[in-house]
Amino acid sequence: MNFDFSDEQKQLRDEARRFLDENCTTKEVRAILEGKDVYDRKLWKGLADLGLLGIAIPEEFGGAGAGRLELCIVAEEIGRALAPVPYSSTVYLASEILLRAGTDAQKKEWLPKIAKGEAIGALAFVEGPGNPTPGGMKASVSGGKLSGRKTLVADGGVADFAIVAARAGSGENTLSLYLVDLKGAGVTRANVETVDPTRNHAEITFANAPAALVGNEGEGWTLLTQALDRAAVLVAFEQIGGADRALYMARDYALDRMAFGRQIGSFQAIKHILADMYVSATLARSNAYYGAWALSTDAGELAEAAANARVSATQAFQLCAKQNNQVHGGMGFTWEADCHLFYRRSNLLALTLGSLSWWEDALIERMRKRNAA
Amino acid sequence: MNFDDTPQEAEFRKLARTWIEANRPDDLLAVLEALNPDGSKKASTADIVRVSKAWQKRKADGGWACLTWPKEYGGRAATPIQRVIWDQEEGAYGQLSQPFAIGQGMCGPTVMAYADEDTKRRLLPPLASGEDVWCQLFSEPAGGSDVAGLRTRAEKQDNGDWLINGQKIWTTGAHFCDYGIVITRNDPTVPKHKGLTMFWLDMKSPGVEVRPIKQASGHSGFNEVYFTNVRIPDSQRLGKVGDGWNVSITTLMNERFSIGARVATGVPEFFDFASSYRMPDGTLAIEDASVRARLATWASRSNGLKYTAYRAISALSRGERPGPENSIGKLVSAPMMQDIAMAALDLQGPEGARTIDGATPAAKLYQQLYHAIGMRIAGGTDEVMRNIIAERVLGLPADVRVDKDVPFNKIPTKGR
Ligand SMILES: Cc1cc2nc3c(=O)[nH]c(=O)nc-3n(C[C@H](O)[C@H](O)[C@H](O)COP(=O)(O)OP(=O)(O)OC[C@H]3O[C@@H](n4cnc5c(N)ncnc54)[C@H](O)[C@@H]3O)c2cc1C
């Protein structure tokens, strides 16, 4: 058994970490938080130059042609750095959907641009409160024109194109995926403020926007859930990256800060908080690794492994981030300390792709399916 | 990243599987399961020990006992990864090894590290083959977590023998054990970690009295052990006089319990229970949103333990030492088992209070309600495990130890 990343993959991690340590400190994250721009363009360009935007895109479409394990490695570093860039929307969602379901022409048009950092993609599926259901989506397409409203699209304000879930008719199984050029006609966008302003979100209204089918008509729900499963593994890596960094930030503070004549890290209440953070982060890491294996091999276990990784990583990052604030005392509630950057990101990532309760439900459903088989 | 064996591992697995296939102890396991429907009160210790010894002997004769031990001590000189493979192949039959867990897992390695060659060749092979069962006599009324606070005295006699007086407690299996390792205080005038000495002893030595303790579950798995003028020859000393603390660390470091072995969490039992238990409105419990939410958390934590073990196995397979992440096992599984057992009762409403025996999922969960109490304490309490993770893994300061440099006989003994 070799349930670990290879030496070359670990080298890639070191490279990505070195690059992000230099180019994505919390100063850069704060610049976006404070509204200097909608995403870090310089960092995006740097990621493109390093080949990290197209890392999992085949060479024929301008990428590096590496596998999903390499992508998991990069995802962890993106999460660790709280990178304020549209990486997950573009790389885990848009480009992965095109790779799996797009036409050759669609791949040729968009994937090389993604790899070069010249196009940002997004996935538009949220219509109002509640987790996604196949019946809940009202946006529709007729005669190749899409109309409807997607209320919260991650990176929707900065994306060049979006994969949009919409109905091809009024019947039951008509949900389909479409590619829409967001710079084209019939698209209006308004940025939405969220719990984590370091990642752009927008509401997008489509009024007869030209839309091209991605995959088959009526296949939308299947493609969407598959895409969310695959992205869940990658986002789980972002989450364990963030969880780990919040854990060690809290540990370091506990060693530095004195109270009652002692390091606060010598109080058991603090030690036990940190031990629980470590436990949660460790479980989440191991679950994410299993998700990585399933993703990289397209295993039959992927759906269950993804839900498992997602539940675990969401809980770990939320726990580590909120307890990092707690260990920092009053300082943890300031704008100045970096704690809230992790808190914001952990809460955003807990909701994106569907919230925790939705994934918990999915995990049980998938366990039942396996048991019945 | 893959789950494949290396060619050598595959070859070893085939060897193990073939042997188990030809020697499978289904008869013994059936006896165990009939006797002991998941820990119910009716189990008879003597019968459990009898069937376990039968399987252990069969394994020893085939060269499959204590795999990583040297051959001259009854082992197979196998690598750590081979032991994991064996455990995986042994699967459910591994339940039959339970009475030997402490002796082979902790006492054996301590004897191996500190006894002289003759003693090792004499004591270890029958420990490996299950003919002798060993116990660990560490905890005392005065100290479990703080085991260095122990008070059992060892006094050197003129002829070189030691005279032991005092009391041990919580000694698992003492009532059926042949030998034990015992840690004692030889010098109460020096700080507590410094005046300790370790011995091995025959449990039938005159002056040793074993009294089973009735547990909260109603069973009796552990005991009080009294020592009244028990004579131990100096040749049975393990390590130097006054070095017992360091020797005990060897023992505790060998808590190898978990790697590769399946830890009980209660998750499969709860999954089965919730998949068959009907709520008052006729729907299955597993269709209830709150049940699903809790079960999902438990399942993902239980999976996390499994895959953490896989990471450790991978390290072994590369010939490396597994990292500290393996220290989380019991801290995750024991409290979770308790929560799960309580959730199963809760779903049944007032009827949940009814005692149930047997091998149904509900009955198993009912037993785990009690089993979990002990698991959260044995081998380091939840709180002590958190201290260990905080200090040894995360590098936080050690607890303030007010008694550290105080002569043992000057340490206060009453809380109030
Ligand atoms: C099923 C079972 C089997 C056992 N088998 C054996 C055996 O075979 N051989 C053997 O020698 N022992 C055995 N034990 C004993 C076991 O190791 C001790 O019970 C355990 O170490 C706790 O010690 P204690 O009972 O003295 O509790 P205490 O140490 O008095 O603990 C009481 C409470 O105080 C807390 N506490 C104590 N110290 C600290 C600290 N430093 N920081 C924070 N909290 C603390 C504990 O967490 C606990 O909640 C067994 C116990 C059980 C339950």
Side-chain angles (χ1 to χ4, degrees):
Chain A
M1 177 181 306
N2 183 12
F3 189 55
D4 196 0
F5 291 95
S6 68
D7 288 344
E8 294 80 62
Q9 287 158 348
K10 287 177 187 165
Q11 225 165 356
L12 169 66
R13 170 167 62 209
D14 294 345
E15 273 163 42
R17 185 169 301 183
R18 216 171 311 123
F19 171 77
L20 286 159
D21 278 349
E22 257 170 50
N23 296 281
C24 184
T25 67
T26 51
K27 189 167 146 260
E28 278 80 28
V29 179
R30 280 171 180 277
I32 306 304
L33 174 69
E34 286 164 3
K36 307 234 159 59
D37 203 344
V38 273
Y39 73 100
D40 188 331
R41 292 169 208 273
K42 191 168 149 256
L43 180 61
W44 192 244
K45 174 83 174 41
L47 289 167
D49 292 346
L50 267 186
L52 298 183
L53 297 184
I55 184 152
I57 293 175
E59 285 167 21
E60 57 170 314
F61 301 116
R68 297 301 173 284
L69 290 178
E70 284 74 13
L71 188 50
C72 289
I73 292 266
V74 178
E76 180 176 343
E77 297 311 313
I78 293 280
R80 242 187 100 74
L82 303 172
V85 287
Y87 196 80
S88 56
S89 304
T90 306
V91 180
Y92 317 154
L93 290 165
S95 115
E96 289 286 298
I97 291 173
L98 286 181
L99 273 172
R100 289 176 69 82
T103 62
D104 213 45
Q106 287 168 335
K107 291 184 207 171
K108 280 200 180 112
E109 181 179 359
W110 292 103
L111 296 177
K113 285 191 202 158
I114 288 177
K116 275 191 253 160
E118 289 165 4
I120 292 170
L123 174 67
F125 65 99
V126 176
E127 294 189 23
N131 282 309
T133 57
M137 284 175 243
K138 310 284 179 229
S140 64
V141 170
S142 80
K145 300 278 164 72
L146 195 148
S147 296
R149 200 160 63 97
K150 296 291 174 183
T151 54
L152 196 77
V153 182
D155 302 306
V158 300
D160 298 284
F161 73 99
I163 310 286
V164 187
R167 330 203 130 266
S170 53
E172 276 264 310
N173 296 316
T174 53
L175 196 69
S176 315
L177 297 187
Y178 296 89
L179 196 156
V180 178
D181 186 340
L182 295 178
K183 303 251 165 84
V187 177
T188 6
R189 303 191 252 182
N191 285 337
V192 175
E193 207 173 297
T194 69
V195 65
D196 182 10
T198 68
R199 290 286 314 281
N200 171 265
H201 284 76
E203 175 168 324
I204 308 184
T205 309
F206 300 94
N208 289 317
L213 194 62
V214 177
N216 295 320
E217 210 171 276
E219 230 183 9
W221 182 249
T222 310
L223 289 175
L224 179 66
T225 48
Q226 282 172 357
L228 294 175
D229 285 351
R230 299 172 68 82
V233 173
L234 295 158
V235 170
F237 273 88
E238 288 198 6
Q239 290 169 307
I240 63 171
D244 242 30
R245 194 155 153 224
L247 163 63
Y248 285 97
M249 185 177 165
R251 192 274 310 260
D252 289 347
Y253 190 76
L255 289 173
D256 292 338
R257 171 76 177 166
M258 300 290 287
F260 300 92
R262 297 159 58 175
Q263 289 166 294
I264 59 165
S266 69
F267 296 116
Q268 278 200 357
I270 298 290
K271 286 162 85 167
H272 290 191
I273 287 178
L274 288 162
D276 287 339
M277 290 161 74
Y278 175 80
V279 165
S280 186
T282 300
L283 293 171
R285 175 171 298 277
S286 301
N287 281 324
Y289 282 23
Y290 184 65
W293 167 80
L295 176 67
S296 68
T297 56
D298 246 320
E301 291 89 341
L302 176 59
E304 185 181 341
N308 182 56
R310 169 94 180 135
V311 167
S312 194
T314 297
Q315 292 180 343
F317 194 14
Q318 282 190 309
L319 179 79
C320 289
K322 79 176 179 187
Q323 297 299 53
N324 183 31
N325 286 55
Q326 184 67 17
V327 168
H328 276 74
M331 187 54 81
F333 191 47
T334 62
W335 188 262
E336 181 195 339
D338 287 337
C339 303
H340 70 110
L341 304 180
F342 292 88
Y343 191 65
R344 290 171 183 285
R345 185 60 65 86
S346 74
N347 286 308
L348 176 71
L349 293 188
L351 302 169
T352 193
L353 309 179
S355 66
L356 182 60
S357 52
W358 194 63
W359 285 98
E360 286 172 339
D361 198 69
L363 175 56
I364 301 302
E365 209 41 53
R366 293 162 189 190
M367 284 171 67
R368 289 182 80 187
K369 217 186 229 162
R370 172 169 51 83
N371 264 58
Chain B
M1 200 176 263
N2 65 67
F3 297 101
D4 306 335
D5 286 332
T6 64
Q8 295 91 319
E9 288 166 5
E11 202 173 305
F12 183 82
R13 189 183 296 282
K14 207 170 124 210
L15 203 63
R17 192 172 288 180
T18 312
W19 187 86
I20 291 172
E21 205 42 55
N23 294 277
R24 30 196 306 159
D26 290 323
D27 49 334
L28 303 173
L29 193 63
V31 176
L32 187 73
E33 279 169 353
L35 280 173
N36 184 17
D38 307 287
S40 97
K41 293 184 270 229
K42 295 185 206 90
S44 136
T45 309
D47 286 327
I48 295 172
V49 173
R50 181 176 53 77
V51 293
S52 301
K53 282 190 167 192
W55 175 228
Q56 193 64 29
K57 185 76 177 62
R58 221 183 271 179
K59 286 197 287 187
D61 291 345
W64 295 99
C66 294
L67 268 74
T68 55
W69 292 12
K71 289 190 181 145
E72 60 272 28
Y73 305 147
R76 193 188 177 86
T79 62
I81 188 70
Q82 289 177 330
R83 209 213 74 221
V84 169
I85 292 171
W86 166 266
D87 286 349
Q88 291 169 342
E89 293 301 317
E90 191 182 18
Y93 303 133
Q95 289 172 58
L96 288 163
S97 310
Q98 222 247 315
F100 313 113
I102 291 174
Q104 296 178 346
M106 299 168 85
C107 305
T110 310
V111 168
M112 214 177 295
Y114 292 99
D116 60 60
E117 194 55 34
D118 276 358
T119 308
K120 290 197 268 192
R121 286 180 190 254
R122 192 156 46 84
L123 294 180
L124 293 173
L127 166 51
S129 66
E131 281 149 275
D132 291 339
V133 191
W134 286 57
C135 59
Q136 180 206 353
L137 299 141
F138 282 19
S139 302
E140 294 194 9
S145 306
D146 181 17
V147 71
L150 61 92
R151 316 188 74 81
T152 294
R153 284 300 314 271
E155 288 162 302
K156 187 118 187 213
Q157 305 302 296
D158 291 342
N159 70 349
D161 287 357
W162 295 83
L163 207 59
I164 313 292
N165 279 287
Q167 184 200 345
K168 295 288 169 179
I169 195 168
W170 324 125
T171 317
T172 302
H175 53 310
F176 57 78
C177 280
D178 305 285
Y179 293 93
I181 58 174
V182 58
I183 184 163
T184 61
R185 183 167 306 281
N186 64 288
D187 185 356
T189 66
V190 293
K192 64 180 187 178
H193 291 93
K194 302 217 166 106
L196 303 176
T197 300
M198 185 84 78
F199 301 93
W200 63 267
L201 92 161
D202 186 334
M203 291 297 283
K204 284 169 230 69
S205 308
V208 176
E209 190 199 341
V210 177
R211 293 189 202 156
I213 301 173
K214 186 166 182 179
Q215 290 167 193
S217 57
H219 310 212
S220 294
F222 56 30
N223 305 269
E224 293 178 294
V225 180
Y226 290 86
F227 295 85
T228 316
N229 293 326
V230 176
R231 252 176 207 280
I232 300 187
D234 193 51
S235 60
Q236 292 182 203
R237 179 160 45 80
L238 294 169
K240 295 199 192 87
V241 175
D243 204 30
W245 182 249
N246 288 324
V247 178
S248 78
I249 287 173
T250 312
T251 313
L252 300 173
M253 284 308 211
N254 272 294
E255 280 203 277
R256 35 102 268 174
F257 281 93
S258 45
I259 295 176
R262 227 157 288 170
V263 271
T265 58
V267 169
E269 291 81 7
F270 189 86
F271 184 88
D272 289 348
F273 171 73
S275 299
S276 58
Y277 178 77
R278 290 202 178 272
M279 309 285 272
D281 66 1
T283 57
L284 289 172
I286 201 163
E287 270 144 26
D288 180 86
S290 79
V291 171
R292 291 164 83 97
R294 280 181 293 170
L295 179 54
T297 295
W298 294 325
S300 72
R301 287 175 79 82
S302 167
N303 289 333
L305 285 184
K306 178 164 99 189
Y307 304 132
T308 301
Y310 284 6
R311 288 166 61 199
I313 293 170
S314 306
L316 289 179
S317 171
R318 287 193 302 262
E320 294 165 14
R321 277 177 84 92
E325 57 274 5
N326 290 293
S327 53
I328 68 173
K330 199 177 79 81
L331 177 56
V332 174
S333 59
M336 177 158 84
M337 176 186 280
Q338 197 166 36
D339 291 347
I340 288 176
M342 287 181 179
L345 298 190
D346 175 82
L347 278 174
Q348 300 170 68
E351 264 291 322
R354 184 193 295 272
T355 301
I356 20 183
D357 275 330
T360 63
K364 289 184 194 174
L365 290 162
Y366 195 85
Q367 296 303 332
Q368 291 182 348
L369 183 70
Y370 294 101
H371 184 56
I373 308 173
M375 279 195 26
R376 291 186 58 195
I377 301 294
T381 65
D382 290 356
E383 293 71 31
V384 166
M385 297 315 286
R386 286 193 176 90
N387 288 347
I388 290 176
I389 291 171
E391 292 172 20
R392 307 225 188 114
V393 182
L394 297 175
L396 290 156
D399 269 7
V400 177
R401 300 225 157 84
V402 289
D403 57 0
K404 200 169 143 227
D405 301 315
V406 183
F408 178 71
N409 55 12
K410 300 271 174 358
I411 298 172
T413 54
K414 280 256 181 312
R416 59 173 187 165

